[in-house]
Amino acid sequence: MARRRPPARKRTTRRSRKKSGISPLWLIVPLAVIVVAPAALKALESVWTTLLGVAAVLAVLLAAAAFVVRHMGAAYRRDALLRAELDRLDPRRFEELTAELLRRDGFGRVRVVGGAGDGGVDVLGVAPGGRPYAIQCKYYTRAIGPGAVRDFVGALQARPYRGHQGVFVTSHRLSAQAARTAREQDMIVIDRDRLADWLLGAYRLGPGGGSAPAWLVRLRGGRTARERRGRPPAAQDDDLDLGGAVAE
């Protein structure tokens, strides 16, 4: 029994040496990570830097475009109001201008009823869809307070104007409280800026109406003016002329 023990120990030593052997291929993985990882990180950092730079340039360009478009729209509105001589009108002419704009938008049975005993309504008209509209015109050089809006709400509740869509048109602006009162009563408000859009044709009253960018309408208007120059005089006479307010 004692003579057989040494060979057994030799076999155990060989097995332990075989199990503990490490393949050289496993050394390549950490070396690859050490070499490749910094290069990959650097490349990724370069890509992100480029993307951030492109995004920053696009953001600046969009902001500049929005600034230019906003100022173009404001300039076109000022030009429309100047050509309509809005600040030189009187209240009666302001009502007539509103009536002309209603007719241009396709309203029928348009009447200027402002004056003594008008019941708080200055212009009446029927939209293309058949709904009657009642318009209050306020030719003011200061902001409109909530009292004027509440008076108009009372006029719309009177028997002659029940069921009419109320429209408040002003040459100036509404105060914050007045605007809130108008919204609560589902009243359409056309203040100075929207009036300019209305003159330009960028805003339309009635069903299917709405607003369009003033700069786009101005470009369309320039194209229409060029087309109008090639039309016969009789056709040109049919175009609406608001005292030079919308004629090109």
Side-chain angles (χ1 to χ4, degrees), residues 128-165:
R131 184 176 184 182
Y133 277 56
I135 296 92
Q136 171 67 264
C137 301
K138 287 293 184 184
Y139 188 74
Y140 276 28
T141 57
R142 64 181 186 276
I144 305 294
V149 176
R150 285 194 291 266
D151 290 344
F152 186 41
V153 171
L156 294 173
Q157 293 172 352
R159 181 175 297 175
Y161 306 121
R162 287 177 187 170
H164 286 59
Q165 171 62 59

Side-chain angles (χ1 to χ4, degrees), residues 5-236:
R5 286 178 184 173
R9 283 203 287 286
K10 287 181 181 180
R11 283 194 296 269
T12 303
T13 304
R14 291 193 191 100
R15 287 174 187 171
S16 62
R17 286 177 181 175
K18 186 176 182 181
K19 289 182 180 179
S20 62
I22 300 175
S23 174
L25 295 176
W26 287 104
L27 298 176
I28 298 175
V29 175
L31 289 175
V33 171
I34 294 172
V35 174
V36 174
L41 291 175
K42 187 175 181 179
L44 186 62
E45 181 181 357
S46 177
V47 170
W48 277 108
T49 302
T50 303
L51 291 176
L52 290 175
V54 171
V57 171
L58 290 176
V60 171
L61 291 176
L62 288 174
F67 178 81
V68 170
V69 167
R70 188 182 302 113
H71 279 260
M72 285 174 62
Y76 293 155
R77 291 187 183 99
R78 286 194 301 269
D79 182 58
L81 295 174
L82 286 173
R83 290 159 61 196
E85 298 183 340
L86 181 68
D87 294 329
R88 299 176 61 182
L89 300 179
D90 55 46
R92 182 65 179 183
R93 177 57 186 144
F94 186 57
E95 295 169 2
E96 293 171 352
L97 175 64
T98 301
E100 291 173 4
L101 290 168
L102 286 172
R103 294 188 186 98
R104 188 192 68 184
D105 286 353
F107 280 68
R109 289 183 279 171
V110 178
R111 293 185 296 129
V112 178
V113 297
D118 60 14
V121 173
D122 297 315
V123 182
L124 292 172
V126 178
R131 184 176 184 182
Y133 277 56
I135 296 92
Q136 171 67 264
C137 301
K138 287 293 184 184
Y139 188 74
Y140 276 28
T141 57
R142 64 181 186 276
I144 305 294
V149 176
R150 285 194 291 266
D151 290 344
F152 186 41
V153 171
L156 294 173
Q157 293 172 352
R159 181 175 297 175
Y161 306 121
R162 287 177 187 170
H164 286 59
Q165 171 62 59
V167 182
F168 198 98
V169 184
T170 176
S171 57
H172 206 271
R173 292 178 175 82
L174 270 66
S175 67
Q177 187 176 355
R180 184 166 54 251
T181 302
R183 285 195 301 270
E184 291 171 354
Q185 299 298 324
D186 195 26
M187 185 184 300
I188 297 174
V189 175
I190 299 179
D191 61 4
R192 190 178 182 89
D193 287 342
R194 181 165 285 185
L195 178 59
D197 288 339
W198 203 10
L199 289 166
L200 284 167
Y203 174 79
R204 291 180 61 86
L205 191 62
S211 298
W215 62 270
L216 179 58
V217 172
R218 187 59 177 269
L219 291 177
R220 290 173 179 170
R223 184 169 60 252
T224 303
R226 290 192 295 272
E227 294 170 353
R228 188 184 300 134
R229 294 189 190 103
R231 293 162 57 188
Q236 295 181 23

